Amino acid sequence: MTLGGGAMTNTIPEISQYSDVVFIIGSNTGECHPLIAKHVIQAQSRGAKLIVADPRMTDMANKADIWLRLPVGHNITLLNGLMHVIIKEKLYKAEFIQEHADGFDDLTRAVEDYTPAYVEDLTGISQQDLIAAARLYAGAGAAVILYCMGVTQFTYGTGTVASVSNLAVITGNLGRPGTGVCPLRGQNNVQGACDMGGLPNVFPGYLSVTDEKHRARFEKAWNTQLPPKPGLRIPEVADAVHQGKVKALYVFGENPVMSDPDNNHFIHALQELELLVVQDIFLTETARLAHVVLPAAGWAEKEGSFSNTERRVQRVRKAIEPPGNAKTDWWIFCALAQKMGAKGFEYQNTQEIWDELRQVVPEKWGGMTYARLDQVRGLNWPCPNEEHAGTPILYVGGKFTTPTGKANLKAVLFHPTGVAEDKIKEFKNPIVGKIAELPDREYAFTLTTGRRGYHYHTGTMTRKSLPLNQVGPEQMVEVNPQDAAVLEIEDGDYVKLTTRRGNIAVKVWVTDRVPEKTVFTTFHFWEANVNELTVKDTDPLSVIPEYKVAAVKIEKISLAEAKALYLEKAQKYRVELEQEVVAEMQKGWRV
Amino acid sequence: MANRFVIADPNKCIGCYTCMATCVMQHQQVGLQAYPRLQVTHTLAGTMPIQCRHCEDASCVAVCPVKAITVKNQSVQVNETVCIGCKMCALACPFGAITPYGTLPPSLREVGTFEQYAYVPEPRWPAPLYGQSGQTTELHPLLAWRIGQKAVAVKCDLCQFDEAGPACVRSCPTKALRLVEGEDIERLSKLKRSGAAIETASNVE
Ligand code: SF4
Ligand code: SF4
Ligand code: SF4
């Protein structure tokens, strides 16, 4: 939308080799991307400077030269403040903007109000720190921005992403080694899944389904008719079920019962379905509610390729046979399609599928043969032909892939309680943000959510690992020492967290990692899943839910009360069922 | 010679917990308590794992009523099969480096609300039996207990059973951990003495 693509513009090793300044915003890089954090640490020991914007004292925040401890939800305030300083002090790259960007005037007007004093007022970040950070970032020879879900999981996440790209564009930090805008992907292959069209609105290669030209290309390749209408996005599914528009749901590689916001709403929707199929490697909380469970093969049990966060496609090879009746996902889909009478699903192996992709979307993957991928440690797309060495850095020379070839600078406005109508009218298509649910008298704390280093998402895999369970045996909620003193709770006590949507019992971790009036917990544990509490309001553009802010009430409870709540959750998530099935399987019983 | 110990550099530690998970696996494989013997600790001043410093005059050794903790091979070692789980050493250690770990006594089991549901499959990797040859993934028979697992004092043993040395040091992605040998301390002190002498000498008019 702003630059022309949705992926890391640069590669990971450039951080340690070339970046002079690393700006991390909304990413707990140390815990969630330790191998990328390693490059940041190496850059620091080379003399690079680190700026971190995070409400939480993440380990990277602790190591930062400047740590901007903004309140949860204020990314846009901060980014607009930084750009305000950069524009006022004429630290931007006028030539680069003139040649390669549109909308600078709009942007200048949009950030006009975000003076250091105003930003300090709203966020508590000192004017000194804000100005120092702006000068440091804009003054760098090569500065890179790393961001993650702390930027996107808001109802105005798209706006924040646009702001991040605005900042990089006006300082000319794109298209050169060690620069760039880098969204860090949370999974080994989530980039690959999106690349392959695993989104409701695009074909492989991010080719929009609404575009006739693109549709024609795939209709020809697949010899079939393709619908011109984008599908539903995950947060829209529950409502569609309630409205009777969706009658069957096929879930694979996902555990939405645990990971969807306000999951009670979602669970009710599942009960209305005529058919729920879940394909997974374990009997997840979602699979336990399914009519049909299809056992899938794990990553070490299949062939194919993964595309990592830096757009690098790498081969994965089968190390062991899948257990029992488990089959790879592609095999299951093809078998199902054939059963339904569809044509064109007669693949024998993953190479045939990959070669088809290379033929249909050559501009991105044409040159990536399996033979080449076998020889090198992956290639970065675009790689249009076999002579092409891949593209580690996008937009070299300021050539963006937008229709105009220029980067779009977008006006982005934000205020926690909303921006005045008059203000909005001053701009052409601005992105406007406000927080969906602010704390009030009853729900006095801000709840924010995320992951911990040792568990992965809904714990489907990591909670089956003894070492990881020993490191992180149970859910914890981080509470600031000041708040703990006021609430008279101690480290290790149990509290009940209640929002307008649900409640959970959690053990308290009293720590400076969270600022006052803010608590943090995760969605790893069914015993206390934070997604019973989160709000389901979404970004109107990307439909990402606002996982990062909700208003919450905290009450100290006794152990007995905590236990009673766990027993309730055990029933809700049908925990015994997994234990029963596992016990049966150990006796040799086949599903 | 001074005792050896593993210590982390808080400037390099990124709080990723890899060392803790490695420590668990390492000990599980030889039938010792599968519990992390170092604990990543986050403070405003910095993050680092904390583990036993293998003190020269170790208070844990001094308080142990059954002499389960001894100094040997330039380190302080708990014999987990002798330990009676009295927790005195954990109270005495100034670094919080000892954790009593094992099955909770029945009177306390109500407390372990999570444990009731924790489902952990049998480990798949083969491992040598502690102190003997043969293949098993079982806990050492003396650590296995009527309820499940004997509660004992668990602390860093420098992976003394592994010729390759401390596993946490090898697994850290940022090389934040290192093993400090007695010789290193002597060398460092020597270096510091030279530094002090140079400084003093060059400041004398
Ligand atoms: S593995 Fe290294 S970086 Fe990670 S927590 Fe341990 S000491 Fe820190
Ligand atoms: S356990 Fe504590 S007292 Fe004993 S040697 Fe280690 S650090 Fe010292
Ligand atoms: S040296 Fe061995 S026992 Fe000690 S903390 Fe490291 S891995 Fe654990």
Side-chain angles (χ1 to χ4, degrees), chain B residues 6 19 22-23 26-27 36-38 51 54 155-160 165-169:
Chain B
V6 172
C19 49
T22 313
C23 186
Q26 173 87 341
H27 291 82
R37 286 137 201 267
L38 72 177
Q51 69 261 68
H54 296 270
K155 75 165 197 71
C156 166
D157 54 17
L158 293 177
C159 302
Q160 42 96 15
C168 54
V169 173

CSV table of all heavy atoms in Angstrom, one decimal, chain B residues 6 19 22-23 26-27 36-38 51 54 155-160 165-169, ligand 3:
chain,number,residue,atom,x,y,z
B,6,VAL,N,30.2,-21.0,35.9
B,6,VAL,CA,29.6,-20.5,34.7
B,6,VAL,C,29.0,-19.1,35.0
B,6,VAL,O,28.2,-19.1,36.0
B,6,VAL,CB,28.6,-21.4,34.0
B,6,VAL,CG1,28.0,-20.7,32.8
B,6,VAL,CG2,29.4,-22.7,33.5
B,19,CYS,N,19.3,-21.5,27.2
B,19,CYS,CA,20.2,-22.1,28.2
B,19,CYS,C,19.4,-23.0,29.2
B,19,CYS,O,19.8,-24.1,29.5
B,19,CYS,CB,21.1,-21.1,28.9
B,19,CYS,SG,20.1,-19.7,29.6
B,22,THR,N,18.2,-26.2,27.6
B,22,THR,CA,19.3,-27.1,27.3
B,22,THR,C,19.7,-27.8,28.6
B,22,THR,O,20.0,-29.0,28.6
B,22,THR,CB,20.5,-26.3,26.8
B,22,THR,OG1,20.1,-25.4,25.8
B,22,THR,CG2,21.6,-27.2,26.3
B,23,CYS,N,19.7,-27.0,29.7
B,23,CYS,CA,20.1,-27.6,31.0
B,23,CYS,C,19.2,-28.7,31.4
B,23,CYS,O,19.6,-29.8,31.9
B,23,CYS,CB,20.1,-26.5,32.0
B,23,CYS,SG,20.8,-27.0,33.6
B,26,GLN,N,19.9,-31.8,29.1
B,26,GLN,CA,21.1,-32.4,29.5
B,26,GLN,C,21.0,-33.3,30.7
B,26,GLN,O,21.6,-34.4,30.7
B,26,GLN,CB,22.1,-31.2,29.8
B,26,GLN,CG,23.4,-31.6,30.3
B,26,GLN,CD,24.4,-31.8,29.2
B,26,GLN,OE1,24.0,-32.1,28.1
B,26,GLN,NE2,25.7,-31.8,29.5
B,27,HIS,N,20.3,-32.8,31.7
B,27,HIS,CA,20.2,-33.6,32.9
B,27,HIS,C,19.2,-34.7,32.8
B,27,HIS,O,19.3,-35.8,33.4
B,27,HIS,CB,19.9,-32.7,34.1
B,27,HIS,CG,21.1,-31.9,34.5
B,27,HIS,ND1,21.4,-30.7,33.8
B,27,HIS,CD2,22.1,-32.1,35.3
B,27,HIS,CE1,22.5,-30.2,34.2
B,27,HIS,NE2,23.0,-31.0,35.2
B,36,PRO,N,15.7,-26.9,35.2
B,36,PRO,CA,16.8,-25.9,34.9
B,36,PRO,C,17.6,-25.5,36.1
B,36,PRO,O,17.0,-25.2,37.1
B,36,PRO,CB,16.0,-24.7,34.3
B,36,PRO,CG,14.6,-24.9,34.8
B,36,PRO,CD,14.4,-26.3,35.0
B,37,ARG,N,18.9,-25.6,35.9
B,37,ARG,CA,19.8,-25.3,37.1
B,37,ARG,C,20.3,-23.9,37.0
B,37,ARG,O,21.2,-23.5,37.6
B,37,ARG,CB,20.9,-26.3,37.1
B,37,ARG,CG,20.4,-27.6,37.6
B,37,ARG,CD,20.9,-28.8,36.8
B,37,ARG,NE,20.1,-30.0,37.0
B,37,ARG,CZ,20.3,-30.9,37.9
B,37,ARG,NH1,21.3,-30.8,38.7
B,37,ARG,NH2,19.4,-31.9,38.0
B,38,LEU,N,19.7,-23.1,36.0
B,38,LEU,CA,20.0,-21.7,36.0
B,38,LEU,C,18.7,-21.0,35.6
B,38,LEU,O,17.9,-21.6,35.0
B,38,LEU,CB,21.2,-21.4,35.0
B,38,LEU,CG,20.9,-21.4,33.5
B,38,LEU,CD1,22.2,-21.0,32.7
B,38,LEU,CD2,20.5,-22.8,33.0
B,51,GLN,N,23.1,-18.7,38.2
B,51,GLN,CA,23.3,-20.0,38.7
B,51,GLN,C,24.4,-20.1,39.7
B,51,GLN,O,25.0,-19.0,40.1
B,51,GLN,CB,23.6,-21.0,37.5
B,51,GLN,CG,25.0,-20.8,36.9
B,51,GLN,CD,24.9,-20.0,35.6
B,51,GLN,OE1,24.6,-18.8,35.6
B,51,GLN,NE2,25.2,-20.6,34.5
B,54,HIS,N,29.7,-21.7,42.7
B,54,HIS,CA,30.6,-22.7,43.2
B,54,HIS,C,31.6,-22.0,44.2
B,54,HIS,O,32.8,-22.0,44.0
B,54,HIS,CB,31.3,-23.4,42.0
B,54,HIS,CG,30.4,-24.2,41.2
B,54,HIS,ND1,30.1,-25.5,41.5
B,54,HIS,CD2,29.6,-23.8,40.2
B,54,HIS,CE1,29.2,-26.0,40.6
B,54,HIS,NE2,28.8,-24.9,39.8
B,155,LYS,N,20.9,-27.9,41.7
B,155,LYS,CA,21.7,-26.7,41.4
B,155,LYS,C,22.7,-27.1,40.3
B,155,LYS,O,22.8,-28.2,39.9
B,155,LYS,CB,22.4,-26.2,42.6
B,155,LYS,CG,23.6,-27.0,43.0
B,155,LYS,CD,24.4,-26.2,44.0
B,155,LYS,CE,25.8,-26.8,44.1
B,155,LYS,NZ,26.6,-26.5,42.9
B,156,CYS,N,23.3,-26.1,39.7
B,156,CYS,CA,24.3,-26.3,38.6
B,156,CYS,C,25.4,-27.2,39.1
B,156,CYS,O,26.0,-27.0,40.1
B,156,CYS,CB,24.9,-24.9,38.2
B,156,CYS,SG,26.3,-25.0,37.2
B,157,ASP,N,25.6,-28.2,38.3
B,157,ASP,CA,26.7,-29.1,38.5
B,157,ASP,C,27.9,-29.0,37.5
B,157,ASP,O,28.7,-29.9,37.4
B,157,ASP,CB,26.2,-30.6,38.6
B,157,ASP,CG,25.5,-31.0,37.4
B,157,ASP,OD1,25.6,-30.3,36.3
B,157,ASP,OD2,24.7,-32.0,37.4
B,158,LEU,N,27.8,-27.9,36.7
B,158,LEU,CA,28.8,-27.7,35.7
B,158,LEU,C,28.8,-28.8,34.6
B,158,LEU,O,29.7,-29.0,33.9
B,158,LEU,CB,30.2,-27.5,36.2
B,158,LEU,CG,30.4,-26.2,37.0
B,158,LEU,CD1,31.8,-26.2,37.6
B,158,LEU,CD2,30.1,-25.0,36.2
B,159,CYS,N,27.7,-29.6,34.6
B,159,CYS,CA,27.6,-30.7,33.7
B,159,CYS,C,28.8,-31.6,33.8
B,159,CYS,O,29.4,-32.1,32.8
B,159,CYS,CB,27.4,-30.2,32.2
B,159,CYS,SG,26.0,-29.2,31.9
B,160,GLN,N,29.1,-31.9,35.1
B,160,GLN,CA,30.4,-32.6,35.3
B,160,GLN,C,30.4,-34.0,34.7
B,160,GLN,O,31.5,-34.6,34.5
B,160,GLN,CB,30.7,-32.7,36.8
B,160,GLN,CG,29.5,-33.0,37.7
B,160,GLN,CD,29.4,-34.5,38.0
B,160,GLN,OE1,30.3,-35.2,37.8
B,160,GLN,NE2,28.2,-34.9,38.6
B,165,GLY,N,31.7,-30.5,28.6
B,165,GLY,CA,31.6,-29.3,29.4
B,165,GLY,C,30.2,-28.7,29.5
B,165,GLY,O,29.3,-29.4,29.0
B,166,PRO,N,30.0,-27.6,30.1
B,166,PRO,CA,28.7,-27.0,30.4
B,166,PRO,C,27.9,-26.9,29.1
B,166,PRO,O,28.3,-26.2,28.1
B,166,PRO,CB,29.0,-25.6,30.9
B,166,PRO,CG,30.4,-25.8,31.6
B,166,PRO,CD,31.1,-26.7,30.7
B,167,ALA,N,26.7,-27.5,29.1
B,167,ALA,CA,25.8,-27.4,27.9
B,167,ALA,C,25.3,-26.1,27.7
B,167,ALA,O,25.1,-25.7,26.5
B,167,ALA,CB,24.7,-28.4,28.1
B,168,CYS,N,25.0,-25.3,28.7
B,168,CYS,CA,24.4,-24.0,28.5
B,168,CYS,C,25.3,-23.1,27.8
B,168,CYS,O,24.9,-22.3,26.9
B,168,CYS,CB,24.0,-23.4,29.9
B,168,CYS,SG,25.4,-23.3,31.0
B,169,VAL,N,26.6,-23.2,28.1
B,169,VAL,CA,27.6,-22.3,27.4
B,169,VAL,C,27.6,-22.6,25.9
B,169,VAL,O,27.6,-21.7,25.1
B,169,VAL,CB,29.0,-22.6,27.9
B,169,VAL,CG1,30.1,-21.9,27.1
B,169,VAL,CG2,29.1,-22.2,29.4
C,3,SF4,S1,26.8,-25.8,33.6
C,3,SF4,FE1,25.4,-27.5,33.2
C,3,SF4,S2,24.3,-27.7,35.1
C,3,SF4,FE2,25.3,-25.7,35.2
C,3,SF4,S3,23.7,-24.3,34.4
C,3,SF4,FE3,24.9,-24.9,32.7
C,3,SF4,S4,23.9,-26.6,31.7
C,3,SF4,FE4,23.1,-26.4,33.8
